[in-house]
Amino acid sequence: MNRMQFLQSGLLIGGAGILNSNSVLAQSIEESNLDKLTDEQGNFVLNGLPYAESFLEPYMDAETLHLHHQFHHGGAVKGANNDIKMIKKAVDENSLDTVDFYTKKLSYHFGSHLLHTIFWTNLANRKSDPRGELLKMIEKSFGSFDRFKGYIAESAKNIDGNGWGILAYQPYSRSLTIMQCENHEKLQQWGAVPILVIDVWEHAYYLKYKNKRQDFVDTLFNIINWDNVADRLSKAQKLS
C-alpha cells in the first residue's frame, strides 16, 4: 500500500478531502490552490501565505505572522505527515500498539492544518461587513450582525486554554452555528463546515498583544475578509 492509497483507504475519515476543489473553496482560492491541503502524492503541504507578511499590519505584525505560519502551521503539517507515516507502518506490520496514540495526534495536527489554512484566507487588510446571502444567514441564525459578533467574540475570548472560535455552516440544519474549539479538534459538531475561524492560541497574538486576548479578538474584526467567508458559505450550502 503506497501513501496515496493509504490516504484514500478511509483511515482519514473526515480528513484530507474536506477542502477539495468541489467542497468549500472560493473560485479565487481554487485557482491559487491556497486551500489545497495535500499534494498529488498525498503528502500534507504548507501553502504560502496569500499576501506579504506585513500585509495585515498594524493589526497583526509581520514577525508574528512569519512565526505563526512557518513554525506553528508548518509544524502541524510536519506532524500530520509523521502521524500518517507511523499509522501506515503500524497497519502494514499488523503491530497496532501505537495506532491509538498516532490517531489522536493526527486529529490534533490535521485540525491545526485545516483551520490555519482557512484562517489565512479569512483575513484582509481593510475593514468590511458581511452582505447578501451571508448577512441574511447571520440575521436568520443569530438575530442581527451585532448579536452574532458579540456571540462569536465572547466565545473566542473565553475558550479554556488554547483554541479557536468558529463560525460554521451546519448542513443538517441548514443554519449557521458557532463553536468553541479547544486545541484544534475538541468540542466539534459532526458535519459542520467552518467558514470563519478565529485563532486564539497565544502564538497568534502574544508578541503584539501580550496576554490581552480580548484586544486581539476585537481587533480582528477590522481585517476579516467577509467576501471569503461568503464564498465559503456558498460552497458549503451546496452540501445540504
Side-chain angles (χ1 to χ4, degrees), residues 34-149:
L34 290 174
D35 267 359
K36 188 176 181 182
L37 300 184
T38 61
D39 61 19
E40 287 71 18
Q41 287 72 46
N43 301 298
F44 293 109
V45 291
L46 178 67
N47 296 308
L49 289 167
Y51 33 69
E53 291 175 349
S54 60
F55 183 74
L56 301 176
E57 291 185 343
Y59 304 105
M60 190 179 296
D61 62 284
E63 183 179 9
T64 293
L65 201 61
H66 173 76
L67 295 172
H68 192 172
H69 177 255
Q70 289 294 312
F71 296 99
H72 294 284
H73 186 180
V77 171
K78 292 177 182 178
N81 280 322
N82 184 66
D83 299 333
I84 288 289
K85 176 183 176 181
M86 298 307 295
I87 294 171
K88 179 182 179 300
K89 182 175 185 292
V91 171
D92 285 348
E93 296 176 356
N94 196 29
S95 178
L96 304 179
D97 293 344
T98 62
V99 292
D100 176 63
F101 173 79
Y102 283 108
T103 297
K104 290 175 181 176
K105 296 296 286 184
L106 177 60
S107 179
Y108 175 89
H109 288 132
F110 177 79
S112 176
H113 183 25
L114 186 149
L115 292 172
H116 278 104
T117 299
I118 297 173
F119 182 61
W120 307 129
T121 64
N122 275 166
L123 302 175
N125 66 347
R126 60 181 177 83
K127 185 173 175 56
S128 63
D129 292 302
R131 51 196 171 89
E133 177 65 14
L134 174 60
L135 181 59
K136 290 179 182 178
M137 285 291 296
I138 288 174
E139 291 174 341
K140 178 181 177 182
S141 299
F142 308 109
S144 70
F145 176 60
D146 286 340
R147 288 183 180 181
F148 153 74
K149 190 162 66 170

Side-chain angles (χ1 to χ4, degrees), residues 18-38:
I18 289 179
L19 293 183
N20 61 40
S21 61
N22 295 317
S23 183
V24 296
L25 309 183
Q27 182 64 33
S28 59
I29 301 299
E30 289 177 347
E31 292 171 355
S32 60
N33 286 326
L34 290 174
D35 267 359
K36 188 176 181 182
L37 300 184
T38 61

Side-chain angles (χ1 to χ4, degrees), residues 61-68 202-211:
D61 62 284
E63 183 179 9
T64 293
L65 201 61
H66 173 76
L67 295 172
H68 192 172
E202 287 187 343
H203 60 244
Y205 60 86
Y206 208 82
L207 288 182
K208 183 176 180 66
Y209 296 90
K210 307 306 179 188
N211 62 333

